[in-house]
Amino acid sequence: MKNICVLVSGGGTNLQALIDAEKSGEIKNGKITCVISSKEGAYALERAAQNSIPTRVIPRNAYGDVAEYTKAITDALKEEKADLIVYAGFMTILDEQIVKAFPYKMMNVHPALIPSFCGKGFYGLHVHEAALEKGVKLTGATVHFVTEVCDGGPIIMQKSVAVENGDTPEILQRRVMEQAEWKILPKAVSLFCENRITVKDGKAFIDLES
Ligand code: GAR
């Protein structure tokens, strides 16, 4: 059974999708053992507590530079014996120390079809604002491994979502979450825990069930 540690900063609807998937048995061979928040008072912490999942708060604003903060998060994850780390609405950029400590053991959910609308500055609602500004007709979500390149690691899963006339960033965000993020994130987590994802030449491949 793999220990899954989830990093959060906000509302935690993706965390909730993981909790629900664990309860329903959709996540095979994995258990959420810890939730770490970069913000005090994040509602994600409440969701964890309601499900008796241990939590830690490591506030970003209590640390000076990125290196110091990355070390604090990395040390906590080592203490928690994390096998898989999921960035689920984790809004803080960490440096390469953590990538070296957990190579291809960290995944992030991003609310667009990478390589569109990704990288520095593209997070949360801003991603949907940019998609609407561009006028794309399809957007979606991506789950990828975390590397030192922001939103640049091997892509594990993607799902497209239609943009509709009259969408606001908020409406589009909700549709992308419902139709894509909450579906592909638990799937990718289960595949990882079942040892069914391999990375070759910088690309992720899902092993078909035998
Ligand atoms: C989600 O849409 C997630 O994809 C996005 O923030 C939201 C968090 O929601 N993450 C990023 O933009 C990271 N670059 P949640 O806290 O309800 O899961």
Side-chain angles (χ1 to χ4, degrees):
M1 194 62 112
K2 293 200 196 294
N3 292 339
I4 304 166
C5 292
V6 185
L7 304 182
V8 298
S9 301
T13 64
N14 279 289
L15 169 66
Q16 189 66 54
L18 292 173
I19 293 170
D20 295 345
E22 186 188 320
K23 279 191 184 154
S24 72
E26 193 197 330
I27 295 179
K28 297 184 188 75
N29 200 39
K31 184 177 162 47
I32 304 168
T33 49
C34 182
V35 169
I36 300 177
S37 174
S38 63
K39 273 201 193 126
E40 275 170 61
Y43 189 67
L45 291 166
E46 190 65 35
R47 296 180 193 271
Q50 279 164 10
N51 290 278
S52 310
I53 300 167
T55 58
R56 293 188 186 215
V57 180
I58 307 180
R60 177 64 187 92
N61 57 16
Y63 292 81
D65 58 11
V66 181
E68 218 184 304
Y69 187 67
T70 305
K71 186 175 181 327
I73 296 273
T74 306
D75 288 349
L77 290 166
K78 284 180 183 165
E79 279 169 27
E80 295 291 341
K81 300 191 183 346
D83 297 307
L84 170 65
I85 296 144
V86 181
Y87 290 50
F90 186 64
M91 300 304 192
T92 304
I93 292 180
L94 303 175
D95 71 16
E96 68 289 344
Q97 288 176 71
I98 195 163
V99 180
K100 290 208 175 83
F102 297 101
Y104 297 134
K105 289 182 193 308
M106 302 191 286
M107 55 174 73
N108 176 48
V109 60
H110 182 76
L113 295 173
I114 290 174
S116 290
F117 311 118
C118 66
K120 218 162 178 264
F122 287 97
Y123 60 91
L125 219 46
H126 299 303
V127 177
H128 306 290
E129 283 164 2
L132 290 174
E133 178 65 28
K134 182 66 192 171
V136 294
K137 305 302 177 231
L138 275 180
T139 184
T142 303
V143 177
H144 65 91
F145 282 117
V146 176
T147 62
E148 54 288 330
V149 181
C150 179
D151 294 331
I155 292 169
I156 302 166
M157 290 189 108
Q158 292 187 299
K159 193 167 188 296
S160 62
V161 173
V163 179
E164 292 174 12
N165 286 342
D167 273 353
T168 62
E170 290 79 7
I171 290 170
L172 185 57
Q173 178 181 53
R174 183 74 193 181
R175 189 180 310 117
V176 168
M177 284 175 158
E178 280 175 0
Q179 295 185 7
E181 296 186 45
W182 302 342
K183 292 192 161 115
I184 63 174
L185 184 61
K187 269 197 193 123
V189 165
S190 187
L191 288 167
F192 180 94
C193 293
E194 296 171 79
N195 294 319
R196 286 176 54 199
I197 308 176
T198 47
V199 178
K200 204 175 163 239
D201 300 331
K203 297 188 189 72
F205 296 90
I206 296 171
D207 304 329
L208 297 173
E209 260 171 316
S210 46

